[in-house]
Amino acid sequence: MAFQAEYLRSITGPADLPEDEFPQFAFIGRSNVGKSSFINAITGISNLCRSGSTPGVTKKVNLFLINKKFYFADLPGYGYAKLSYKERKELEKLIFWYLSEPLNHFQRIFFLIDAQVGPTSNDQDVLKYLLEAGLPTTLILSKTDKLKNSEKTRQINQIKQQIPPHFPIVPFSVKTGEGKKDVHKILGI
Ligand code: GDP
C-alpha cells in the first residue's frame, strides 16, 4: 500500500498540538542516527524528511498526517556535541514534554540506535525514560549494512544485554531494505 503523507506542522509547545486524537507513531534518536532516512525509507517518500540536515538545528517536533489515519511525529535528534548547555537542555525539555504530554496518544515509539555504535549514554537516558514511562517502544538498530553478519550478531547480542528481555528489536538498513517489512507490520500496513 502506498503512503500518503502530509506535513502538518512543527510543534514547539502545547499550543501547537493537533486537535484530533489520531494515534501517533513517534521517531526518536540522536542526530545522525539515520532517523530521516528511516522515515523516508518506510514511507517510500524520499524527501519527506531532510536527511543529512545540519544536526542540532531542528528544535521542534515535525508532525505528518499519514493516510489520514495516524500521525508520524519526528522528534528532534539529540546528542549533537556542538550545542550549548542551554540549547541541549531546551531540546531535552521539548523531547520529554512531548513524550509525557497526555494529549498525545502513542501507538508506538520507534527508538533508533546505531547498530555499529550501540547505545550512547544519551541513548541510555532516553531508554530509561521510555521504560519508566511505559511507552510502547520498538528499538530500531540502524545502518546494519555497515556490519558484517558475524559482527551484526555479536552487536545485537550485546545490545540485548542492555535492554529488558523480549524488548522488540528490528535491525534496519535503508541500503539493503532489511527490517522494512517488520516496520510495515508494526504500522499495520
Ligand atoms: P538523522 O540525523 O538521524 O536524520 O540521520 P540521517 O537520516 O540524515 O542520516 C545520517 C547519515 O547516515 C546520512 O549520511 C545517511 O546517508 C546515513 N545513513 C542513514 N541510514 C543509513 C543506512 O541504513 N546505512 C548506511 N550505510 N548509511 C545510512
Side-chain angles (χ1 to χ4, degrees):
M1 183 187 164
F3 274 86
Q4 193 227 336
E6 188 189 328
Y7 166 77
L8 205 70
R9 68 181 78 148
S10 295
I11 298 173
T12 55
D16 307 325
L17 288 172
E19 298 74 28
D20 43 56
E21 298 192 352
F22 289 126
Q24 296 192 26
F25 292 94
F27 302 83
I28 182 163
R30 66 170 176 79
S31 63
N32 214 39
V33 72
K35 184 161 55 63
S36 309
S37 306
F38 175 73
I39 297 173
N40 293 341
I42 61 170
T43 55
I45 305 172
S46 59
N47 57 353
L48 191 60
C49 297
R50 203 138 49 94
S51 167
S53 54
T54 319
V57 166
T58 334
K59 288 187 204 68
K60 55 199 181 187
V61 177
N62 284 324
L63 200 66
F64 301 89
L65 182 60
I66 308 291
N67 296 352
K68 300 202 183 338
K69 278 208 303 221
F70 48 79
Y71 287 123
F72 272 9
D74 180 18
L75 276 81
Y78 54 80
Y80 181 54
K82 286 188 182 160
L83 290 188
S84 70
Y85 177 79
K86 189 166 166 266
E87 285 173 313
R88 267 205 303 272
K89 285 290 148 194
E90 276 169 13
L91 198 68
E92 268 173 37
K93 205 172 135 198
L94 175 64
I95 291 172
F96 292 127
W97 159 70
Y98 195 80
L99 292 173
S100 63
E101 170 56 59
L103 290 174
N104 289 329
H105 306 285
F106 294 113
Q107 187 145 330
R108 187 142 292 267
I109 313 280
F110 292 104
F111 175 32
L112 282 83
I113 283 180
D114 189 310
Q116 192 172 33
V117 177
T120 64
S121 72
N122 279 323
D123 291 336
Q124 275 162 353
D125 291 344
V126 171
L127 179 64
K128 190 161 172 275
Y129 177 85
L130 293 168
L131 290 173
E132 280 173 8
L135 287 163
T137 302
T138 294
L139 201 58
I140 303 294
L141 301 183
S142 69
K143 311 187 193 182
T144 52
D145 59 276
K146 287 187 165 185
L147 296 168
K148 287 195 216 108
N149 268 337
S150 56
E151 285 174 318
K152 193 164 90 182
T153 310
R154 187 157 39 88
Q155 189 66 346
I156 291 174
N157 285 336
Q158 211 162 19
I159 292 169
K160 276 186 180 163
Q161 283 168 20
Q162 300 176 58
I163 55 178
H166 312 298
F167 198 92
I169 298 185
V170 177
F172 193 92
S173 162
V174 299
K175 295 229 164 134
T176 64
E178 181 180 21
K180 209 161 133 179
K181 276 199 187 129
D182 299 297
V183 173
H184 283 172
K185 215 180 272 175
I186 295 168
L187 296 171
I189 279 169

